[in-house]
């Protein structure tokens, strides 16, 4: 039984995320904690760092500067012809899509505008440039399975369901 948060452990936690003005931006649904594999960059770096060594039941307030959260905002809006997207994708403002860079690395882009012939994509996460204030309670800690380690994310309730 794992006592404290450490790499190779799957951690569940409840959270409320607020901006510096105190507005709630996001939260885990009641009774459905967020689950992640520690050390696998499943969550923003500043929060992952703060949860290290914490134990079940610990409650903490974590302030994460934008740079350690979803990053600072960068330039790079681009309009892409609608025809470059597969026909079967329903494009909506706010959704993220995976693009492939010149080196073959996949990276996310966010759709910020859609017209009949053009889609405007932005490299900024919607929360880029925003300082994040997390209110966290650790709900559970367990060892990761070999399969979870291989995939780099947790499976089961609250985790990925892709197989
Ligand atoms: Zn998986």
């Amino acid at each position: 039984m794992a006592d404290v948060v450490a790499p190779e452990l799957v951690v569940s936690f409840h959270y409320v995320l607020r901006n510096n003005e105190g507005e709630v931006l996001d939260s885990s649904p009641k009774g459905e904690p967020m689950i992640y594999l520690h050390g696998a960059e499943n969550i923003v770096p500043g929060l992952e760092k703060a949860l290290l060594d914490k134990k079940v039941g610990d409650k903490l307030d974590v302030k994460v500067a934008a740079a350690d959260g979803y990053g600072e905002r960068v330039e790079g809006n681009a309009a892409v012809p609608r025809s470059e997207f597969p026909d079967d994708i329903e494009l909506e403002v706010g959704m993220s899509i995976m693009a492939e860079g010149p080196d073959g690395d996949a990276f996310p882009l966010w759709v910020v505008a859609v017209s009949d012939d053009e889609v405007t994509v932005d490299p900024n996460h919607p929360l880029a440039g925003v300082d994040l204030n997390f209110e966290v309670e650790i709900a559970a800690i367990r060892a990761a399975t070999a399969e979870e380690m291989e995939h780099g994310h947790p499976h089961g309730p609250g985790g990925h369901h892709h197989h």
Side-chain angles (χ1 to χ4, degrees):
M1 191 58 200
D3 288 335
V4 299
V5 175
E8 306 194 5
L9 297 179
V10 171
V11 181
S12 311
F13 66 94
H14 302 283
Y15 74 95
V16 179
L17 170 60
R18 296 183 178 84
N19 60 16
N20 285 346
E21 286 70 49
E23 287 171 73
V24 173
L25 304 175
D26 193 14
S27 64
S28 50
K30 212 173 164 57
E32 290 174 46
M34 166 85 183
I35 177 171
Y36 80 101
L37 172 59
H38 196 87
E41 298 178 7
N42 293 167
I43 58 174
V44 297
L47 182 59
E48 187 167 53
K49 217 176 294 175
L51 295 182
L52 183 69
D53 291 334
K54 297 297 183 288
K55 57 184 192 301
V56 173
D58 277 359
K59 294 180 184 179
L60 53 156
D61 291 313
V62 183
K63 191 171 178 62
V64 175
D68 288 325
Y70 293 100
E72 302 288 4
R73 293 195 73 82
V74 295
E75 295 295 313
N77 263 14
V80 180
R82 178 70 179 80
S83 57
E84 290 195 14
F85 294 87
D87 286 338
D88 58 351
I89 290 187
E90 186 119 3
L91 292 159
E92 278 173 33
V93 170
M95 75 187 285
S96 69
I97 52 174
M98 291 308 285
E100 196 173 297
D103 51 4
D105 278 353
F107 61 93
L109 291 172
W110 279 267
V111 173
V112 293
V114 181
S115 73
D116 285 343
D117 48 4
E118 262 184 1
V119 180
T120 306
V121 292
D122 188 302
N124 294 291
H125 184 281
L127 293 177
V130 177
D131 291 333
L132 309 171
N133 300 278
F134 288 97
E135 190 183 314
V136 173
E137 181 178 355
I138 310 272
I141 304 172
R142 66 166 170 83
T145 64
E147 190 186 48
E148 287 171 327
M149 285 306 297
E150 194 181 311
H151 287 216
H153 55 231
H155 295 156
H160 286 236
H161 297 278
H162 58 97
H163 1 238

